Amino acid sequence: MRMFVLEKLASAACGTGVAAWLALLGACAPLGWFSPSPASGATAHTDSADVELAGFTGSESAEPEAEANAASTADDDARASEGDAQVAAGAAVEAASEAPPTGDLRIDRGPSAVPLLIPRGEELLFEVEIDLGALGDPTVGRVTLSSGADAYVEGLPSTRGAAKKSGLEVGWIKSRAQGRHLSYELDHELYVRHLPQVMPRILMNDTQRGSENRRRKLKVGLQDGVPTAVHEHDGHCKDCTNPEHFVESRWMWGKPYHCEKCKQMEHRVWKPSLSRTVPDGTLDMLSAVYLARSMITTGQASTTFPLIDKQKLWNVALERGRRKIVRVPAGRFDCVEVQLKTSRPPSEPNDEEGFQGLFGIQGTIQIWFEATTGVPVLISGTLPVPILGDLDVRVQLKKATGTPSAFKPAE
Ligand SMILES: [Zn+2]
Ligand SMILES: [Zn+2]
């Protein structure tokens, strides 16, 4: 019965984050860790231009800082290059020092705004728990947050290997949520790159693989001088002539017909992109978490900024709160809380739909950052579920590598 209800809810929930986690909860038993085999999503969406570039950036990655980025894969390079290449002819290039970069990559956001600080070569592993009250406290999956900086490749190389090195860097942040239970498999990646150029300045790839397959792409930057967000998503193909999209009729005399809807990645195609203007300084959801973190190390107590999710604009207020010792699998840490509160700007249509943040968390998100380094230790909030009510979700640090040396458990 419970399983039935949860499955119903999972398919009814509109946010994929919630749907995915609930589907994982469907049979509701402790989950084994998803084995880290990269197999389930190795096929990348690339075209020939991407592939060319991937080879090119591959040769560039002999740079020490690029090698330090252990999380980088061929897939990333292909997508990264796509973003870097789409611009860049007119991008402003500043002279850069030759000293190898250390510390966080700093992205300034204006004179009075909190800068975005992106740690180099850091990887944080979290486990995700959803509180089911009397039904138990199962661990439903894991989340990996990683970040780093790559050398920025300016424009398209005219001949292979002869591209100009600008000395600028691209900051990147990646979140990967993985889980598996019985036949349901989730592998959801958000990958955002901050590029030192006009468009896109922010490039976010959102890819869900596993039992459900879905891709989204967000670009934020200046288009004809106007701050603009471009959103693309894929969907099931309709009525093409590709024989691979055809399925056999179940009726014995029927002809094969174009699949109407399925969950196969191969049947999905990119839909036309949607553009809208956004306020200056608009960020994506994943960068919002790192901006909250930046507040810890730069010392601000609060800030607000616009956030774009798909085509929707939100106001986010970040507020520094309580300080306490937080216990997670990685240890006990002296932490400062930052709350992310979202509201709709008055200028936006009010559709009564609540904010659905990182990992499907709705409404206010609490993040506990280690007090001196800003390393996130615990992310918590609620997953709204009809009938069952709001379930508490806790994303808690289990293991950290590449963190600042001052990041230590509390005495
Ligand atoms: Zn088709
Ligand atoms: Zn299909």
Side-chain angles (χ1 to χ4, degrees):
M1 175 58 196
R2 186 176 78 231
M3 182 169 158
F4 171 75
V5 169
L6 282 166
E7 277 177 0
K8 277 296 214 209
L9 291 172
S11 59
C14 53
T16 337
V18 181
W21 289 121
L22 283 175
L24 281 175
L25 276 174
C28 198
L31 250 198
W33 284 132
F34 186 82
S35 66
S37 93
S40 81
T43 46
H45 152 73
T46 47
D47 57 40
S48 54
D50 290 340
V51 172
E52 278 288 296
L53 263 172
F56 166 71
T57 45
S59 66
E60 277 281 285
S61 71
E63 298 293 319
E65 70 269 23
E67 275 182 19
N69 167 17
S72 181
T73 64
D75 190 10
D76 295 336
D77 288 343
R79 283 178 294 161
S81 307
E82 174 189 7
D84 295 14
Q86 275 193 359
V87 241
V93 177
E94 292 162 14
S97 73
E98 290 300 309
T102 54
D104 295 343
L105 176 67
R106 181 188 173 104
I107 296 168
D108 283 307
R109 303 177 55 255
S112 56
V114 178
L116 177 64
L117 304 177
I118 300 181
R120 295 169 198 274
E122 188 184 87
E123 187 168 295
L124 308 170
L125 175 65
F126 297 82
E127 53 180 45
V128 181
E129 276 188 6
I130 298 180
D131 184 5
L132 290 169
L135 302 179
D137 207 37
T139 297
V140 294
R142 75 174 183 186
V143 168
T144 312
L145 281 181
S146 52
S147 60
D150 301 339
Y152 172 60
V153 179
E154 189 198 353
L156 287 162
S158 49
T159 51
R160 179 172 282 256
K164 196 172 141 200
K165 277 202 284 179
S166 62
L168 298 175
E169 289 184 284
V170 178
W172 58 267
I173 307 168
K174 192 189 287 184
S175 138
R176 189 166 178 197
Q178 294 162 284
R180 182 161 65 186
H181 188 72
L182 301 180
S183 62
Y184 190 88
E185 195 173 294
L186 168 72
D187 189 346
H188 184 194
E189 185 182 284
L190 295 175
Y191 177 48
V192 62
R193 291 174 68 82
H194 288 264
L195 299 146
Q197 62 190 26
V198 174
M199 187 71 184
R201 192 169 282 171
I202 298 175
L203 172 65
M204 157 104 99
N205 279 288
D206 174 337
T207 312
Q208 185 175 333
R209 295 192 176 107
S211 301
E212 290 171 81
N213 291 282
R214 181 180 57 68
R215 287 170 299 172
R216 291 195 185 113
K217 197 178 286 186
L218 172 71
K219 294 171 193 165
V220 183
L222 292 179
Q223 206 154 286
D224 302 324
V226 180
T228 304
V230 181
H231 173 237
E232 284 174 78
H233 67 95
D234 70 357
H236 196 277
C237 178
K238 272 186 184 163
D239 299 329
C240 75
T241 54
N242 182 349
E244 289 174 10
H245 292 186
F246 281 64
V247 290
E248 292 299 322
S249 172
R250 262 177 281 181
W251 182 51
M252 79 180 281
W253 307 108
K255 286 183 186 158
Y257 61 97
H258 192 281
C259 178
E260 280 164 14
K261 203 150 203 180
C262 72
K263 290 180 174 175
Q264 283 187 68
M265 181 159 58
E266 292 75 18
H267 288 196
R268 296 177 71 86
V269 293
W270 286 102
K271 303 289 182 182
S273 65
L274 298 160
S275 293
R276 59 160 295 161
T277 59
V278 291
D280 232 354
T282 296
L283 288 180
D284 61 282
M285 198 180 280
L286 189 53
S287 301
V289 174
Y290 280 72
L291 191 72
R293 171 182 184 161
S294 304
M295 267 175 50
I296 303 293
T297 41
T298 59
Q300 279 95 335
S302 65
T303 191
T304 60
F305 63 95
L307 181 146
I308 183 95
D309 177 34
K310 298 178 206 111
Q311 280 283 285
K312 266 192 178 177
L313 194 67
W314 299 86
N315 278 334
V316 181
L318 296 179
E319 250 175 68
R320 205 153 12 148
R322 297 166 286 170
R323 182 163 180 166
K324 72 169 187 187
I325 301 286
V326 173
R327 187 189 292 271
V328 293
R332 294 164 69 253
F333 295 92
D334 179 16
C335 287
V336 175
E337 176 191 39
V338 176
Q339 295 207 349
L340 281 80
K341 290 184 181 161
T342 48
S343 58
R344 290 283 272 168
S347 56
E348 295 286 308
N350 183 5
D351 52 13
E352 306 276 316
E353 220 177 88
F355 178 71
Q356 196 134 91
L358 212 51
F359 318 130
I361 294 174
Q362 187 152 359
T364 302
I365 300 173
Q366 284 93 33
I367 310 182
W368 292 88
F369 295 99
E370 198 277 322
T372 49
T373 57
V375 173
V377 166
L378 171 66
I379 303 171
S380 69
T382 53
L383 287 177
V385 182
I387 304 169
L388 295 182
D390 288 347
L391 302 183
D392 291 329
V393 59
R394 286 169 60 88
V395 180
Q396 32 193 12
L397 187 65
K398 187 181 168 75
K399 199 177 157 207
T401 54
T403 45
S405 54
F407 179 69
K408 289 190 184 93
E411 295 299 310

